[in-house]
Structure formats: C-alpha cells, structure tokens
C-alpha cells in the first residue's frame, strides 16, 4: 500500500517542470564605500549615492593599510552594493546567496530588507533571498561588513594577525528547485561522508544527505547516491525512495561496501573517488551534489608517530597564513596554487592552516595533492568570557563545511588562550564535545604556548600541541633538547605535537656572527639566526619520534598590524618565504634538502655577500651525496658532515681580497650534474665593529 501511495504522489509531482540547480558567479558588478555604521544600514548606503568605488570581489579594504602601518588601519564598517536582473523564470525557484568569507561580521539586505547575518570572518554562510526578489525586474543587494574587534566574536583582537575587512572570498548565487539538497545547513554541501574499517581489502562508507522541501505539501522523491572512481566509473550505487515532509530538512542515509579500494596515501598516492547524490522528482533530476572521497585511516600513536593506513607516515609540517603583500586576504586561485606549489616543493607532507578556516579551494587542492591538513578556528591569543557561543558556531561551521575533505585529520580548538583558566578549560572541553558530536571520527587538538603538559588549560582535547620558540622568545636554541626529553620521561603517553617553532628573519639583515639566543625586541633580525634555529631544532625533532608531528612557523611572512619588529612595520618575518613570495630564505632550502625527494644543492648565505672576516665558514645543503666546492677555481678541502645527512660544512674558507666566486658541484642518482654558484666579497676587517655590536645583543653561542 505504501508503495502505491508513493508512486501516485511521485507521478503527480512529475506534472511540474523541474531542472537542476544553477550556481552563478556573483563576483562582478559591485560598488564599495567605507562609511560609519548606522542604525539603518540601508539609509546610510543610500546617502552615498554617486560616491561609490567599483570593485570586483574578492576584495578587502585593508590590502595596504593593514600591511604598512602599525595600529593604524581602517577597522569598522563598509558597504558593498550590487544590482542584478532577476529573470521571470525564477518566480517559483528558491534563490540563495552564498558568501565564502566576509570579514568579519556581515548583514545582507535585499531590496531594503535584512535577509541574513553572520558573525565570523573565515567561514562561509548562505542566506535565502528568493522571497525578497522581484522577478522580471532589477534587484539590489547591500552587504554591510564590519571588521571591528569584538569581545563576542573570535578572534577578539588584531594582535597576532589582522582580520581583513570586506567580501574577500567569492560570492555565489544559487538558484534551486523547491526541493533540493540543503544549502543553508551551515552553508555546507548538505552531504556528509563517513568511512570505517578502511583497509586494502575493503572499506565501509556511509553517505548522509540533508534534503530540503520548501513547499507546503509532502513530495515523493528518489535519492540516488553513487560512488565513482577517479575515471568516473561507478563503483557502488544505491537508490532510496523518500517522501519529503513539508517545510523542513530531513536526512537520508546510504551505506556502501567498497571492495579492494585504492587508498588515499598522502603525497605518494592521493587517490580520490567521488560521491554523487542526485535528487529526482517526477522522473527528473532536480538537484545534484558531488563530493570527494579519499579512503584512508589516520592514527596518532603517542610516543611513536603518525600512521596513515597502518603505515608510519612522516609529518613534515608547515603553517600557513592566507594573506600576501598588496592583496591582503583577497586571493585568487592562482595565489593559492602558488602557495601550494611552494609547500609541495619544500617537501612538506602536512600543513597547519592557522589560525582560522581557510578557503575551500585550498582544502580541495590539499585533497588532490595529498597534503594532510590541520584545520582550526580563530580562538586565539586572548579570552574575554564573551566568545563562548561564537566559538561553538565557528567550530560547527568549520566542521560541516569541510566534513568531506579527506586531507583533514584534526579540528583545532584553540591556540594560546589562557586566563581565566577555569573558563578557558571548560570552553575547550565543550568545543571538544561539539567536535565529537559533529564528527566522532577525527581528532581534536588544542595548543599551548607553555612547555608544561600539566598547564591548567591543557589536556582537554585528543592531541596536545605546544608552541616553543627556544632561542627567540625564550631561553636558547639548544634548550629544545631537555624540554623534549623531560616530556618523554614525565608524559610518555601524551600525544604531543610541536605546533610552532622558529625565528624571524629579515633578508636585508645579514651577519657572520650568531649566538644561541637573539634579543627579539631589537631591530636586527639576521637571516642567519633563523637558519641556525631551524638547522639545529629540526635535527633534534627528526630523531625524537615522541613528537608525533611538528609544524614550523611559518611558511610565508604575513601581516601583524599591531607590531613593528625587525625594522619592518606590521610584519611577522618567521616565514621561509617573504611576504611577496619572491625570496626563499636559506631555511627553505634546509627543509627542502631534508624533506624533498627532489635533488637539492644549495650554498647558504648568498645574501651575506659582503663578508666580515677573511677566514669564514661555508655551509652547503645537499641530499644526493657529498658536494665538491671550488673557491676561485680551486677545490676546497676539509668538508665535514653534521646535524643531518644533508648538512655539509667547510669550516675554514680563506677569502681573497675583492671578489670570490664559489661553485658547488655534485652528481645526483640519475647521473645529472647539479651546480650552485654565488659570489662573496671581502674588503678587510672594517665591518667588525658592526659585528661586535651584534654580538653584544646576543647571548654567547654554541
């Protein structure tokens, strides 16, 4: 009887003509104006008629002031406005606007009426606007954006990084049928793919799809869910008949057993299946959604390391902020691809996307490149006691919007937040519980800047991360050793990750003299100190599997609009690559030599071309064997290896007056000759006064 009723309703529903959703680029044709906030946003916007600037989103108003000035940038309200034609054919459609990112709080008005709002500068949001549209006429959208720091919206300040204002990620107009796969479920895909018992012999996959019925009556439908391989060949298909209840969301689940799957194996083989959900009413597909599926199993084993599909997997980690010089965070796909190319080139296997949700495109590319991802919310730096609800909201959005990315293994809950301890610990516990409710199959992590595992806000997540800057903000470079060994002894069962370490480097600052600690409050940030820090500390990390994963800080320099350090305003210079992406510092090649399978030959200190001493030291990174080095045509002797197998040192290199040409040569495993050439100059000991001043700023070295 139920089947007959279903078929009758299904045939009746088929009398109307339906088509799949349209997703339209909504980035062109905007105008923009900064202006004070007002109680009536529409009246404020209207008062500026004729005084708007034409822009295309992605757009930010802080691309320059937040990168050049210290604590002097526009923080407040601005408006975006756009008019567009609504076809008469949309009259019975459901229409949504989906914003991938607006910094930081947004209100959306359509034809003068508020249709949506959002608090949080890094997650997407969607609002349904169809009821406010006038079909067959021009319509107006106004977006009020505000990047003012607020105690109830994380991050609560601009201290560690700037929250750029504006519609800085793409906007999409979605036109759907009354019945469709949910668009407004935290702006997620509406599909949630889970996997269990993954091995090379088989994998269990469950697909949960949220369906929306915007009509006032039940609608019979068919949901077809299909798993396909990378070439598009179906692997498994299931069809489920369902009657969509009126005015609401409901879930439909499908389960599959994939036999002898090809596993997602990180950078070695990032194989992706895809899952397609099709909603059919009246015999026609009215909506369709496609999501990636990488079959894999992550394991964090305390004291032993990270395991991918049962095999120990190296976690060569970098961190990434999304902004860049002259653009802020209003990035193109080409910008994201350039960053990913550098991350892949250096040999990283994992990336911590700090300290906030980043572009969906970036996560998708990590899926296809095989990069293992740490994703987190911007609960960072300070606690106000008023961020509880917003922290939960942003975590829920992070998880739902990125649920299906196979590259993500952990949800980050907080970074360096402390007082009041009791409140912060309870908030972290609550965020952990939320993450486990939303996604029980992934890990959670929290990050502390202190080196004590028993700190009052610690041990409230699956993984404990610690940020340690030995030699920079604390102690000396070599103090990383007793710290690790102490934790190994006292906390052997703690899943510990070193989530930040490193030092700043201004490529314009060069010296032959470095100690074991640097006065970071000064203006002199020599590149050699950063290099020395990374050389030694990575060599220690590499021989301590107790550190399950490590993440150097940072892959790229980025804006810190409240700082002036190292002689540069509004800049954190701990990157391996400069803010404009043009200069790769020596530490970049140190990691590439240690991590990458590509052949590397690199002589350091080429920017320190004006040498301070006649008898100096040369360091060469080479991962294909011992290099030969020639100085002014004569081969150097006395090469020794140290720290790691790629580290070669010539301790006593005697320079001639004037120009000195250094040439390194090695033959790789394919019998290809690699060369590297640079020029140093020596003009006497006249710069030693400056070098002595440098030494006075530093502690004694090792």
């Amino acid at each position: 009887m139920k089947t007959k009723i279903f078929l009758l309703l299904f045939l009746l529903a088929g009398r109307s003509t339906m088509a799949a959703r349209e997703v339209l680029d909504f980035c062109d044709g905007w105008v923009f104006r900064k202006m004070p906030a007002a109680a009536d946003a529409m009246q404020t916007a209207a008062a500026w008629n004729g005084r708007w600037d034409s822009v295309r989103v992605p757009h930010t108003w802080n691309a320059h002031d937040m990168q050049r000035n210290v604590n002097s940038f526009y923080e407040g309200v601005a408006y975006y406005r756009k008019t567009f034609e609504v076809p008469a054919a949309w009259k019975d459609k459901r229409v949504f606007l989906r914003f991938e990112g607006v910094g930081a709080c947004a209100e959306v008005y359509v034809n003068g009426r508020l249709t949506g709002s959002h608090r949080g500068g890094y997650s997407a949001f969607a609002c349904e606007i169809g009821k406010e549209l006038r079909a067959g006429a021009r319509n107006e959208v106004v977006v009020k954006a505000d990047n003012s720091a607020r105690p109830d919206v994380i991050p609560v300040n601009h201290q560690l990084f700037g929250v750029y204002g504006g519609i800085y990620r793409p906007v999409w107009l979605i036109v759907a049928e009354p019945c469709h796969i949910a668009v407004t479920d935290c702006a997620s895909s509406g599909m949630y793919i889970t996997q269990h018992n993954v091995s090379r012999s088989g994998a269990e996959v469950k697909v949960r799809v949220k369906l929306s019925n915007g009509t006032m009556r039940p609608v019979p439908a068919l949901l077809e869910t299909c798993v396909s391989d990378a070439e598009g060949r179906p692997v498994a298909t299931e069809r489920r008949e369902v009657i969509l209840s009126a005015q609401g969301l409901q879930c439909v689940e499908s389960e599959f057993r994939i036999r002898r799957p090809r596993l997602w194996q990180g950078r070695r083989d990032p194989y992706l299946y895809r899952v397609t959900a099709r909603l059919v009413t009246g015999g026609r597909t009215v909506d369709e959604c496609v999501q990636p599926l990488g079959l894999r199993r992550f394991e964090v084993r305390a004291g032993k390391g990270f395991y991918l599909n049962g095999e120990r997997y190296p976690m060569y980690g970098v961190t990434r902020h999304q902004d860049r010089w002259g653009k802020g965070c209003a990035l193109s796909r080409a910008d994201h691809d350039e960053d990913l190319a550098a991350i892949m080139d250096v040999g990283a296997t994992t990336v911590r996307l700090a300290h906030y949700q980043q572009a969906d495109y970036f996560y998708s590319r990590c899926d296809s490149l095989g990069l293992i991802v740490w994703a987190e919310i911007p609960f960072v730096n300070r606690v106000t006691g008023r961020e509880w609800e917003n922290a939960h909201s942003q975590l829920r959005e992070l998880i739902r919007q990125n649920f299906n990315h196979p590259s993500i293994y952990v949800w980050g809950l907080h970074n360096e937040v402390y007082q009041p301890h009791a409140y912060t610990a309870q908030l972290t516990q609550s965020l952990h519980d939320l993450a486990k409710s939303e996604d029980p199959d992934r890990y959670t992590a929290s990050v502390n800047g202190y080196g004590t595992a028993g700190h009052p806000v610690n041990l409230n997540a699956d993984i404990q991360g610690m940020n340690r800057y030995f030699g920079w903000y604390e102690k000396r470079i070599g103090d990383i050793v007793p710290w690790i060994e102490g934790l190994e002894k006292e906390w052997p069962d703690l899943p510990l990750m070193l989530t930040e370490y490193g030092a700043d480097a201004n490529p314009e600052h060069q010296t032959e003299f470095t100690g074991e600690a640097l006065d970071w409050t000064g203006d002199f940030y020599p590149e050699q100190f950063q290099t020395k820090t990374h050389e030694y500390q990575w060599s220690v990390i590499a021989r301590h599997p107790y550190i399950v994963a490590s993440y150097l800080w940072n892959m790229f320099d980025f804006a810190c609009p409240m700082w002036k350090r190292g002689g540069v305003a509004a800049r954190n210079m701990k990157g391996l690559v400069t803010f404009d992406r043009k200069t790769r510092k020596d530490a970049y090649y140190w990691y590439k030599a240690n991590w990458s399978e590509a052949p590397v030959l690199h002589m350091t200190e080429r920017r320190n071309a004006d040498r301070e001493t006649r008898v100096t030291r040369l360091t060469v990174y080479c991962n294909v064997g011992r290099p030969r080095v020639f100085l002014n045509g004569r081969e150097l002797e006395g090469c020794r290896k140290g720290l790691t197998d790629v580290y070669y040192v010539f301790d006593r290199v005697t320079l001639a007056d004037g120009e000195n040409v250094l040439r390194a040569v090695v033959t790789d495993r394919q019998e290809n000759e690699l060369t590297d050439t640079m020029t140093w100059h020596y003009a006497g000991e006249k710069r030693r006064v400056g070098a002595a001043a440098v030494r006075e700023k530093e502690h004694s070295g090792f």
Side-chain angles (χ1 to χ4, degrees):
M1 184 64 179
K2 288 183 178 179
T3 302
K4 291 182 179 178
I5 294 173
F6 179 90
L7 289 173
L8 177 61
L9 291 171
F10 197 78
L11 291 169
L12 289 172
R15 292 179 180 175
S16 60
T17 301
M18 296 186 178
R21 75 169 68 175
E22 294 181 82
V23 180
L24 306 173
D25 186 313
F26 208 64
C27 294
D28 284 322
W30 292 88
V31 292
F32 159 79
R33 189 72 183 184
K34 290 186 287 190
M35 59 189 76
D40 191 323
M42 290 303 300
Q43 287 186 3
T44 302
W48 287 85
N49 278 334
R51 288 180 284 177
W52 296 75
D53 297 321
S54 295
V55 297
R56 186 185 192 278
V57 301
H59 173 265
T60 176
W61 62 75
N62 293 125
H64 301 292
D65 60 356
M66 195 169 269
Q67 299 182 346
R68 292 178 169 88
N69 306 321
V70 177
N71 199 18
S72 179
F73 52 89
Y74 184 76
E75 175 188 5
V77 172
Y79 290 86
Y80 292 81
R81 188 167 64 180
K82 174 184 172 77
T83 61
F84 66 106
E85 192 77 25
V86 174
W90 291 4
K91 184 176 184 297
D92 297 320
K93 305 280 189 176
R94 295 181 69 181
V95 184
F96 304 85
L97 278 175
R98 188 179 189 275
F99 297 84
E100 291 193 22
V102 178
C105 296
E107 296 174 3
V108 180
Y109 297 83
V110 176
N111 294 327
R113 297 193 179 189
L114 179 67
T115 59
S117 64
H118 185 254
R119 292 186 300 164
Y122 301 102
S123 50
F125 67 97
C127 49
E128 187 164 3
I129 65 171
K131 293 182 179 179
E132 303 300 339
L133 295 177
R134 297 187 292 266
R138 292 201 69 78
N139 292 256
E140 181 185 68
V141 174
V142 172
V143 179
K144 175 185 175 183
D146 186 351
N147 71 328
S148 302
R150 292 173 46 162
D152 60 334
V153 178
I154 57 174
V156 299
N157 58 33
H158 299 275
Q159 184 63 36
L160 291 186
F161 54 90
V163 182
Y164 292 88
I167 307 178
Y168 71 92
R169 288 186 189 147
V171 186
W172 306 94
L173 188 70
I174 300 171
V175 184
E177 294 297 329
C179 296
H180 58 265
I181 299 168
V183 175
T184 55
D185 181 35
C186 287
S188 72
S189 67
M191 286 177 60
Y192 300 91
I193 306 168
T194 56
Q195 50 186 288
H196 296 98
N197 300 319
V198 176
S199 70
R200 298 195 182 280
S201 62
E204 297 169 4
V205 176
K206 180 182 289 186
V207 182
R208 180 164 51 98
V209 183
K210 291 189 176 181
L211 302 175
S212 176
N213 178 3
T215 73
M216 299 300 293
R217 59 183 176 82
V219 175
L222 176 72
L223 181 68
E224 179 184 85
T225 308
C226 179
V227 180
S228 304
D229 64 17
E231 287 72 40
R233 295 185 294 260
V235 174
T237 301
E238 184 175 288
R239 296 174 178 86
R240 298 286 302 274
E241 295 178 344
V242 60
I243 296 179
L244 301 179
S245 57
Q247 292 290 344
L249 292 180
Q250 63 191 87
C251 293
V252 179
E253 292 186 351
S254 301
E255 296 185 5
F256 305 93
R257 172 75 180 175
I258 310 298
R259 298 182 184 276
R260 295 184 296 277
R262 182 171 170 180
L263 301 185
W264 190 90
Q265 196 60 42
R267 288 189 55 155
R268 191 173 74 196
D269 186 15
Y271 188 83
L272 293 174
Y273 294 85
R274 61 175 180 261
V275 180
T276 303
R278 295 185 183 91
L279 181 63
V280 179
T281 64
R284 296 189 179 188
T285 298
V286 296
D287 205 0
E288 181 175 284
C289 181
V290 181
Q291 291 289 289
L293 170 62
L295 293 169
R296 80 290 183 267
R297 184 175 77 257
F298 296 132
E299 295 174 85
V300 171
R301 300 181 187 177
K304 295 182 179 180
F306 185 90
Y307 288 76
L308 175 60
N309 301 322
E311 300 176 11
R312 194 171 188 279
Y313 193 79
M315 294 290 274
Y316 301 148
V318 299
T319 51
R320 188 241 189 185
H321 269 290
Q322 67 181 3
D323 62 338
R324 63 169 54 204
W325 177 251
K327 290 190 172 184
C329 57
L331 304 183
S332 67
R333 289 189 171 186
D335 295 326
H336 292 301
D337 286 337
E338 184 180 12
D339 282 4
L340 282 162
I343 291 169
M344 295 293 287
D345 181 67
V346 82
T349 60
T350 180
V351 57
R352 180 185 177 202
L353 297 178
H355 290 296
Y356 39 76
Q357 182 172 335
Q358 299 195 15
D360 182 74
Y361 177 77
F362 200 92
Y363 294 110
S364 296
R365 293 287 289 127
C366 289
D367 294 340
S368 60
L369 292 169
L371 286 169
I372 295 174
V373 172
W374 169 314
E376 65 186 54
I377 59 172
F379 184 25
V380 59
N381 182 240
R382 290 290 183 271
V383 180
T384 66
R386 297 174 59 185
E387 64 279 280
W388 185 288
E389 294 299 329
N390 187 251
H392 284 75
S393 175
Q394 291 201 43
L395 179 61
R396 186 180 298 108
E397 291 173 330
L398 173 71
I399 294 172
R400 293 192 187 182
Q401 290 169 20
N402 298 286
F403 194 93
N404 299 324
H405 289 298
S407 55
I408 297 175
Y409 78 100
V410 66
W411 304 116
L413 307 180
H414 77 229
N415 179 82
E416 295 185 1
V417 289
Y418 308 113
Q419 295 284 2
H421 290 158
Y423 167 83
T424 305
Q426 291 176 57
L427 176 49
T428 306
Q429 292 168 3
S430 183
L431 291 171
H432 169 80
D433 291 345
L434 173 62
K436 290 301 185 181
S437 296
E438 291 283 332
D439 183 12
D441 299 324
R442 283 189 177 94
Y443 292 100
T444 65
S446 64
V447 176
N448 194 296
Y450 294 95
T452 304
H455 188 277
V457 304
N458 284 1
L459 309 181
N460 292 306
D462 295 327
I463 297 167
Q464 184 59 57
M466 292 190 189
N467 300 338
R468 306 296 286 164
Y469 290 94
F470 292 107
W472 189 252
Y473 293 127
E474 58 176 326
K475 300 183 180 180
R476 298 151 67 91
I477 292 173
D479 286 322
I480 189 175
V481 174
W483 173 70
I484 294 174
E485 292 177 349
L487 285 169
E488 286 175 329
K489 180 179 179 180
E490 296 178 27
W491 299 86
D493 300 320
L494 177 67
L496 177 73
M497 295 185 180
L498 180 56
T499 39
E500 293 179 26
Y501 68 99
D504 284 74
N506 185 337
E508 296 183 2
H509 296 175
Q510 303 287 329
T511 181
E512 292 181 53
F513 300 95
T514 56
E516 197 185 349
L518 186 74
D519 178 11
W520 64 270
T521 64
D523 289 332
F524 191 65
Y525 284 8
E527 182 180 359
Q528 288 72 22
F529 187 81
Q530 182 197 57
T531 305
K532 183 176 182 177
T533 299
H534 283 292
E535 286 175 343
Y536 183 74
Q537 294 189 353
W538 168 250
S539 75
V540 173
I541 294 165
R543 62 178 185 265
H544 284 83
Y546 176 76
I547 299 177
V548 175
S550 61
Y551 294 88
L552 65 86
W553 190 266
N554 194 283
M555 187 67 199
F556 308 100
D557 292 350
F558 60 94
C560 276
M562 311 298 282
W563 295 10
K564 183 177 182 181
R565 298 178 183 175
V568 178
R571 189 78 51 82
N572 186 308
M573 291 180 285
K574 293 186 181 68
L576 304 184
V577 182
T578 54
F579 200 16
D580 59 9
R581 297 346 190 229
K582 292 182 179 179
T583 301
R584 296 179 176 184
K585 305 174 191 178
D586 280 338
Y588 178 99
Y589 295 97
W590 166 246
Y591 285 104
K592 182 174 181 179
N594 279 282
W595 294 352
S596 175
E597 295 180 0
V600 176
L601 175 65
H602 177 79
M603 292 186 289
T604 67
E605 296 195 53
R606 67 194 57 237
R607 279 174 288 278
N608 192 16
D610 295 321
R611 306 304 289 180
E612 298 162 277
T613 59
R614 183 184 294 277
V615 181
T616 188
R617 191 175 85 157
L618 171 67
T619 300
V620 184
Y621 306 145
C622 185
N623 61 3
V624 291
R626 184 183 297 268
R628 300 172 66 194
V629 178
F630 298 84
L631 172 62
N632 298 325
R634 298 184 62 180
E635 186 170 358
L636 296 176
E637 297 181 353
C639 177
R640 66 177 174 87
K641 184 184 290 188
L643 294 178
T644 74
D645 287 340
V646 306
Y647 187 85
Y648 297 91
V649 181
F650 296 83
D651 285 306
R652 296 188 63 80
V653 177
T654 302
L655 303 178
D657 291 337
E659 183 176 276
N660 292 264
V661 178
L662 290 144
R663 181 173 181 267
V665 181
V666 73
T667 301
D668 68 14
R669 301 175 187 90
Q670 283 73 43
E671 301 300 320
N672 298 311
E673 185 179 85
L674 306 180
T675 62
D676 188 28
T677 303
M678 67 180 184
T679 301
W680 282 349
H681 300 271
Y682 179 69
E685 303 289 325
K686 62 183 179 180
R687 293 188 63 217
R688 289 184 61 81
V689 174
V694 171
R695 288 198 298 274
E696 290 177 0
K697 289 186 176 184
E698 300 176 349
H699 300 283
S700 59
F702 58 74

